[in-house]
Amino acid sequence: MNIAIRVLTEKIKKEQSEEEEKPPRLPYHFPTKKFNRVFVFDTETTADEFLNLKFGYFEIREFHQREYGGLFYDDRVVSGEEIKILREYSQKHSLRLFTLDQFMEIFYLEIYERRSLCVGFNLKFDLSRLIQDYAPGRKEGKGGFSLTLFKDTFRPRLRIKQFTGRYFTIQFVRGDGKEKGEDGKLKKIFSGYFLDVQNLACVLTDERSLSLEKACDIFQTKIKKMKVKTHGKITPEYIDYNLLDVQATYEVYKKVMQEFNKYGLDINPIKVMSNASLGKQALRQFNVLPFNMQNHLFPKKILGKIMSSYYGGRCEVKIRKQPTEITVLDFFSTYPTISLLLDIWKF
């Protein structure tokens, strides 16, 4: 049997005496930023396994006031008859209608040039519908996806990388073209402001997953998500459904930010990836520092022995691919419960 234990690992560094060792610095945190200009959108796709973009709707709001918005569609997928339906709908409701290329120009202007906050519900999915091409992430993006959004190779690509649990990152990275500034150096890339309302709502409610419908119910928004019978086929009813999704997403965003602001945490909401993000920032503001920052000269060998005394749990699957009656066992708040029962908080 193999037993896994924890150990203390350190990067190789130049030899220096313990007196010369400097205490480790707190990791950089991203202070609160007010986003007065918000770009919120949602897409609808084909109902097959490819889930190609058909059409979508976006709104740009500044100080919560709608500035403008419109419908957009991908002419590579949408039929002539469906384009006619979109045009008639947009004329009837005084909405602007854009092709995907036109929409992406607006997207670039708002999200990259004007640095508006990009908001969506399950944002990773909607962003990945807009792409021209994709490739596996490289270097820091290894394990994720590098998405080509624009035909112009000098414009940035978008990198989406999923970590464990709900933790993921979305950011602009350098495009294939090497655009240089007046000083001859490569232009610095703005990473962008992206907020997945679904993820932040899950963090604040401690839910593993939330649908837009459930989020509307939990946060008691005025606008609710509507239901539609058929997906993947453009009809006036389906367009109504898409528009309402965008408006409901924005309503959830406002409610989520109201809840988030109650915590009084000096952290940028786009950097909140999990419950731990909130906990770490609360400890930082309470000036509760990690052990190694308060005792940076504490012998590493002793720390290593302490860490190696921790034995991880073992999980095995004895029966596979066979329907079997089971009993579900779960522990709620395991570590706090053990700490209380064993009275080890004082340590």
Side-chain angles (χ1 to χ4, degrees), residues 118-131:
C118 182
V119 169
F121 202 91
N122 191 11
L123 188 57
K124 295 177 294 182
F125 176 82
D126 290 306
L127 287 171
S128 65
R129 301 306 95 192
L130 308 176
I131 65 174

Side-chain angles (χ1 to χ4, degrees), residues 86-307:
L86 287 166
R87 283 176 179 161
E88 290 175 351
Y89 186 98
S90 61
Q91 290 171 1
K92 181 180 178 181
H93 295 84
S94 301
L95 292 173
R96 298 174 71 180
L97 180 62
F98 303 94
T99 64
L100 178 59
D101 288 341
Q102 292 170 333
F103 167 75
M104 291 308 296
E105 289 299 321
I106 299 171
F107 180 91
Y108 179 77
L109 174 66
E110 288 294 332
I111 308 303
Y112 192 79
E113 295 288 349
R114 292 180 176 168
R115 304 196 173 191
S116 303
L117 175 65
C118 182
V119 169
F121 202 91
N122 191 11
L123 188 57
K124 295 177 294 182
F125 176 82
D126 290 306
L127 287 171
S128 65
R129 301 306 95 192
L130 308 176
I131 65 174
Q132 299 285 335
D133 197 5
Y134 74 96
R138 297 178 297 173
K139 298 181 179 179
E140 294 88 350
K142 189 175 181 181
F145 292 96
S146 179
L147 310 178
T148 303
L149 296 175
F150 311 101
K151 294 176 181 178
D152 181 356
T153 60
F154 286 99
R155 289 186 180 181
R157 296 167 69 91
L158 193 69
R159 185 171 70 200
I160 299 178
K161 185 174 181 180
Q162 181 78 41
F163 296 88
T164 56
R166 291 193 299 262
Y167 179 34
F168 63 90
T169 57
I170 303 174
Q171 61 184 143
F172 286 122
V173 293
R174 194 175 303 283
D176 295 329
K178 305 296 182 183
E179 188 175 7
K180 296 183 179 180
E182 295 178 359
D183 56 0
K185 295 181 180 179
L186 290 175
K187 280 191 174 180
K188 190 175 181 181
I189 299 297
F190 167 58
S191 60
Y193 300 132
F194 298 95
L195 178 63
D196 189 336
V197 179
Q198 182 187 45
N199 183 61
L200 187 55
C202 285
V203 170
L204 296 177
T205 58
D206 200 27
E207 295 278 353
R208 290 188 177 182
S209 180
L210 278 177
S211 64
L212 180 56
E213 182 180 11
K214 188 174 180 182
C216 289
D217 291 338
I218 290 175
F219 290 97
Q220 299 179 345
T221 58
K222 293 180 181 178
I223 298 176
K224 305 290 184 181
K225 181 180 174 68
M226 70 176 284
K227 294 182 179 180
V228 68
K229 294 180 179 179
T230 306
H231 288 269
K233 184 179 179 180
I234 298 179
T235 62
E237 183 188 16
Y238 198 39
I239 301 173
D240 286 339
Y241 168 84
N242 180 241
L243 266 65
L244 208 62
D245 266 10
V246 172
Q247 293 164 5
T249 296
Y250 188 75
E251 288 297 311
V252 173
Y253 160 74
K254 289 196 298 182
K255 292 284 189 176
V256 164
M257 290 308 301
Q258 288 174 9
E259 180 67 22
F260 174 78
N261 291 332
K262 290 178 182 178
Y263 290 82
L265 297 177
D266 185 24
I267 183 174
N268 195 326
I270 68 173
K271 296 297 179 181
V272 175
M273 304 301 174
S274 66
N275 310 65
S277 301
L278 300 181
K280 288 178 181 178
Q281 181 58 29
L283 291 173
R284 183 185 282 113
Q285 290 181 210
F286 285 140
N287 202 28
V288 177
L289 301 177
F291 177 85
N292 64 327
M293 290 187 178
Q294 299 184 63
N295 307 277
H296 70 281
L297 298 180
F298 192 87
K300 301 294 191 295
K301 287 185 177 179
I302 296 179
L303 279 178
K305 290 179 179 179
I306 293 172
M307 292 183 69

Side-chain angles (χ1 to χ4, degrees), residues 29-92:
H29 83 284
F30 301 86
T32 303
K33 177 179 173 57
K34 288 187 177 180
F35 296 103
N36 297 322
R37 192 173 179 87
V38 175
F39 180 102
V40 56
F41 79 106
D42 183 55
T43 62
E44 304 301 338
T45 67
T46 57
D48 55 19
E49 68 272 25
F50 301 108
L51 297 175
N52 291 321
L53 171 69
K54 295 206 75 168
F55 77 102
Y57 176 68
F58 73 96
E59 285 188 350
I60 297 167
R61 292 178 174 263
E62 189 154 15
F63 295 103
H64 299 301
Q65 297 299 315
R66 184 183 184 277
E67 190 166 291
Y68 75 96
L71 290 162
F72 61 94
Y73 65 94
D74 189 343
D75 52 12
R76 296 171 298 182
V77 179
V78 176
S79 68
E81 185 61 33
E82 289 177 319
I83 293 175
K84 183 180 177 182
I85 293 172
L86 287 166
R87 283 176 179 161
E88 290 175 351
Y89 186 98
S90 61
Q91 290 171 1
K92 181 180 178 181

